[in-house]
Amino acid sequence: MNGAPLIDWDWITRNLDDPIGTRLLEHLYLSFAPLLLGLLLALPLGIACARWRPLYPPVFTGVNVLYAIPSIALFFLLLPYTGFSAWTAIIPLGLYTLAILVPNVVSGLAQVPDHVRQAAVAMGFGPLRRLIQVELPVALPVIVAGLRIAAVATISMVSVASLVGIGGLGQLILTEGFRRQFPTPIVVGIVLSVALAFVVDGLLVLAQRALTPWTRDRDPVARARPRTVGAAKGGNA
Amino acid sequence: MITFEGVTKRYPDGTVAVDELSLELPTGQTTVFVGPSGSGKTTSLRMINRMVEPTSGRIAIDGQDVRDRDPAVLRRSIGYVIQQAGLFPHRTVLDNIATVPLLLGWTRRRARDRARELMEVVGLAPEQAKRYPHQLSGGQQQRVGVARALAADPPVLLMDEPFSAVDPVVRTGLQDELLRLQQELRKTIVFVTHDIDEAVRIGDAVAVFRAGGTLAQFSTPERLLAEPADEFVEEFVGYDRGVRRLSFFPASDLALRGDTVLAAETPSSEASAIARAQGEPWLLAVDAAHRPIGWARALDLDRAAPGSTLGDLATVGYGHVFRVGTDSLRAALDAAVLSPAGRAVGVDEDGKVVGVVAQAELGDALWAVGTDETPPAGAVRP
Ligand SMILES: Nc1ncnc2c1ncn2[C@@H]1O[C@H](COP(=O)(O)OP(=O)(O)OP(=O)(O)O)[C@@H](O)[C@H]1O
Ligand SMILES: [Mg+2]
């Protein structure tokens, strides 16, 4: 890196399409898919834990233990089965989101006021309808708060996946930058992945606003605060 | 008619919440469950819509055992209102009210039309349709709760302390509204409260529960105040029950006197002569429209300057009046007690004086009520 400028604009223009654009799209896909997988698993798990409380402590421990496994180790563990396909990244990253999403689903459902639940029963909602039409919508702000934390965490963790050659912006940093001692791709990779995190977070905020118009002008105390369950945990490498 | 036959509820922890309850709640009437905290009122109420299942005994609506019906379907035919209203925070006022019709499979449009209709019935402004529950006052939320319970026009309405979370003024307003609604709708209402005044005001019949979930007394409000079944009920209804019971007797039965009510222009000397002839220490001056001006003391009339009129001397305020046609004996007594002249002024609907009654004369009427076994037909509401 001696003497070379930090940013080589020329390189960026030449590679805008191929490595940069491709890697960005890969990164987006590799973040989005685990989130979706995580949400699909966390919803039934969280709902089950909220309904049958004794289930929660073991599940909570389980998802936390999963989170404690270094991602790199999981990637290598999966390689023999899934090869260099996207699944090698999606499965571990999806499992990591559970540590954030499951507690949020549970606490979201737990904070549905008892009188609201009772009223739903008294109106003649069956259990499934009550869940879908009353409990989940009321829990939504807390669930989305968890989703925001999980999204940012996943976007940052996807970079690690490149260490095993799966793609994403990490690949840009590693192969184009680090291996060739060329700083521009590293800077571009970092800037883009931070920007991606911002944009996705912003989109989730907008989505929540659209989905929960009823929380918009609540006093700040009553408004569902974003839960930071699981967020305090350090990054995962 | 809702029937409880030997109903007992024992919770898994061993608490007996309701013990061998047998009760008949007549169709189209309001029955109030009243009693101290923990006496099993809510449990009894919730056994009607199967939110709680009895341990033994049977509950039937119009002869049909509630256990023969699917709980969700049964509940859609029974309105339910609770203390914090239990409104859905994520739904607008309109959609909250439309809840049960939508569950019953009505089209959204029809359900919303019905909801709009009910907003009017319970006195909510149409602008509030698009609001969310947290944007309403407690009283308004409670109205939405009542509208939601009524939306599918259920024959039965269960209300568990619906008005106890709002301030007394709003509560009285909501009670009046409920009484007015019930005049029209004639639902079978079961109303839980631990406020005996509310019970007596709202109920056609009152069931007093005691700790342990047994029935202490079941009777009309008036009988409850006249003849508490035992020491417990007597203490529960309060030792001022005598005065409160007067609410059930119309003031129109009072013998009012009109001979001490004179026009303000009457010369003092003439008024003085009348007072002396009647042996009355106070005369009421009225204006040309026969509305009250104030009381004049007979002693002052004797000493009045020549040429003065009754109106000049009527300087003592007449306090608050009672309406002869609609008020109760309690209102008349209250007016007499608060009047500086010790006399209550009775007026008609236009505020014209019908006559006056002194505390002493009221006493006779009250005593007659005390010995009367049944309240007169057309007894007034408190
Ligand atoms: N789910 C439950 N499990 C165990 N005990 C219960 C349960 N619900 C109520 N109880 C008990 O049953 C008794 C009657 O309760 P209930 O709620 O019917 O009283 P209440 O008359 O409505 O009282 P309040 O005026 O305080 O509302 C109480 O002792 C209460 O603690
Ligand atoms: Mg209760």
Side-chain angles (χ1 to χ4, degrees):
Chain A
M1 297 186 194
N2 339 349
L6 200 60
I7 306 229
D8 179 346
W9 292 102
D10 209 34
W11 182 89
I12 295 180
T13 337
R14 267 183 288 114
N15 297 281
L16 203 55
D17 240 23
D18 190 18
I20 301 178
T22 329
R23 295 301 181 217
L24 180 65
L25 283 180
E26 268 171 14
H27 202 98
L28 195 61
Y29 168 69
L30 288 174
S31 317
F32 186 75
L35 275 178
L36 192 68
L37 176 70
L39 196 61
L40 286 180
L41 290 173
L43 277 176
L45 259 178
I47 290 164
C49 290
R51 174 140 302 176
W52 297 286
R53 272 283 156 167
L55 211 60
Y56 188 40
V59 169
F60 185 69
T61 310
V63 294
N64 277 330
V65 165
L66 272 179
Y67 198 82
I69 305 174
S71 54
I72 195 90
L74 265 186
F75 293 146
F76 282 120
L77 208 66
L78 278 170
L79 264 181
Y81 307 99
T82 48
F84 287 94
S85 77
W87 286 107
T88 311
I90 293 171
I91 292 171
L93 295 177
L95 292 178
Y96 287 143
T97 63
L98 295 183
I100 298 160
L101 293 178
V102 171
N104 271 274
V105 172
V106 174
S107 68
L109 288 174
Q111 57 124 57
V112 175
D114 201 44
H115 62 99
V116 171
R117 195 174 279 121
Q118 300 266 340
V121 173
M123 300 288 110
F125 281 87
L128 187 64
R129 253 190 167 157
R130 193 175 83 218
L131 181 72
I132 292 170
Q133 294 185 11
V134 180
E135 293 175 301
L136 282 177
V138 175
L140 201 63
V142 180
I143 297 175
V144 175
L147 208 54
R148 285 175 59 188
I149 298 164
V152 173
T154 306
I155 287 170
S156 95
M157 272 194 283
V158 166
S159 306
V160 183
S162 333
L163 289 179
V164 286
I166 294 162
L169 290 167
Q171 196 93 353
L172 199 66
I173 295 169
L174 196 71
T175 51
E176 315 284 331
F178 186 70
R179 296 232 171 98
R180 289 160 51 188
Q181 294 290 298
F182 177 39
T184 304
I186 299 179
V187 174
V188 170
I190 291 171
V191 168
L192 283 182
S193 90
V194 169
L196 194 63
F198 263 110
V199 170
V200 169
D201 192 52
L203 287 177
L204 280 171
V205 171
L206 288 181
Q208 152 153 25
R209 291 249 176 92
L211 287 172
T212 60
W214 48 282
T215 56
R216 224 167 277 167
D217 55 350
R218 297 198 104 163
D219 58 302
V221 190
R223 183 171 33 214
R225 264 163 271 127
R227 295 293 147 113
T228 44
V229 195
K233 295 189 181 80
N236 209 297
Chain B
M1 184 157 68
I2 303 173
T3 3
F4 285 74
E5 289 169 22
V7 174
T8 295
K9 175 63 191 181
R10 182 191 304 270
Y11 282 107
D13 64 359
T15 314
V16 176
V18 178
D19 196 6
E20 284 290 323
L21 179 68
S22 293
L23 206 56
E24 279 187 2
L25 319 182
T27 301
Q29 304 229 333
T30 305
T31 304
V32 178
F33 290 177
V34 70
S37 191
S39 56
K41 306 178 296 291
T42 298
T43 303
S44 301
L45 189 78
R46 289 185 172 182
M47 286 192 286
I48 298 172
N49 72 354
R50 298 192 60 187
M51 286 174 75
V52 172
E53 298 285 0
T55 313
S56 63
R58 176 175 181 268
I59 296 172
I61 299 177
D62 295 328
Q64 194 188 14
D65 194 325
V66 292
R67 271 168 306 181
D68 295 343
R69 302 184 57 187
D70 176 73
V73 175
L74 172 76
R75 288 173 196 146
R76 287 171 206 165
S77 71
I78 299 179
Y80 192 78
V81 189
I82 49 176
Q83 189 179 338
Q84 305 98 322
L87 299 182
F88 300 140
H90 62 300
R91 291 195 176 171
T92 59
V93 165
L94 202 66
D95 287 343
N96 259 288
I97 300 174
T99 301
V100 182
L102 287 174
L103 280 175
L104 289 169
W106 295 22
T107 62
R108 189 161 286 274
R109 192 200 166 88
R110 184 166 159 235
R112 288 197 169 153
D113 284 347
R114 171 69 180 153
R116 246 174 234 113
E117 207 178 296
L118 274 156
M119 285 186 66
E120 202 183 314
V121 170
V122 301
L124 286 164
E127 307 83 83
Q128 287 164 342
K130 290 271 167 284
R131 296 217 182 151
Y132 288 96
H134 74 272
Q135 297 168 314
L136 303 179
S137 72
Q140 288 167 338
Q141 289 184 15
Q142 224 46 61
R143 283 169 197 268
V144 177
V146 172
R148 182 175 65 172
L150 290 172
D153 204 17
V156 176
L157 205 56
L158 308 180
M159 309 180 87
D160 195 349
E161 304 197 28
F163 307 147
S164 59
V166 294
D167 69 66
V169 175
V170 175
R171 188 182 316 150
T172 309
L174 289 168
Q175 288 167 351
D176 287 340
E177 203 91 333
L178 181 66
L179 286 168
R180 181 185 60 77
L181 268 176
Q182 175 65 343
Q183 278 298 330
E184 289 167 31
L185 303 175
R186 290 277 152 220
K187 302 279 180 199
T188 306
I189 299 180
V190 190
F191 189 107
V192 169
T193 178
H194 47 228
D195 174 357
I196 185 71
D197 284 319
E198 187 169 62
V200 162
R201 190 147 193 261
I202 294 284
D204 297 307
V206 178
V208 184
F209 285 64
R210 77 170 98 230
T214 56
L215 199 58
Q217 184 164 2
F218 183 50
S219 65
T220 63
E222 191 272 324
R223 285 290 89 196
L224 185 70
L225 294 174
E227 285 171 42
D230 56 24
E231 184 66 24
F232 165 77
V233 179
E234 174 151 37
E235 194 176 333
F236 190 77
V237 298
Y239 292 111
D240 57 344
R241 65 189 169 88
V243 173
R244 292 223 303 267
R245 182 166 165 264
L246 294 176
S247 303
F248 293 96
F249 298 87
S252 55
D253 283 0
L254 285 171
L256 301 180
R257 60 190 300 173
D259 49 5
T260 54
V261 180
L262 299 174
E265 304 82 57
T266 316
S268 312
S269 51
E270 195 179 316
S272 173
I274 290 171
R276 213 168 305 126
Q278 307 291 343
E280 274 286 302
W282 294 92
L283 294 178
L284 183 72
V286 293
D287 64 12
H290 222 66
R291 292 200 174 79
I293 295 174
W295 292 100
R297 214 186 294 264
L299 286 175
D300 295 344
L301 289 169
D302 293 342
R303 292 186 241 121
S308 64
T309 64
L310 178 65
D312 299 333
L313 291 152
T315 51
V316 174
Y318 57 88
H320 74 242
V321 297
F322 68 94
R323 290 181 185 276
V324 176
T326 52
D327 274 341
S328 67
L329 276 185
R330 187 174 178 179
L333 177 66
D334 201 47
V337 169
L338 290 176
S339 162
R343 281 151 175 75
V345 179
V347 299
D348 63 14
E349 309 83 76
D350 302 324
K352 291 193 169 75
V353 175
V354 178
V356 298
V357 60
Q359 279 168 10
E361 293 150 15
L362 253 173
D364 294 343
L366 301 186
W367 198 84
V369 162
T371 54
D372 190 355
E373 278 307 302
T374 46
V380 283
R381 285 276 180 179

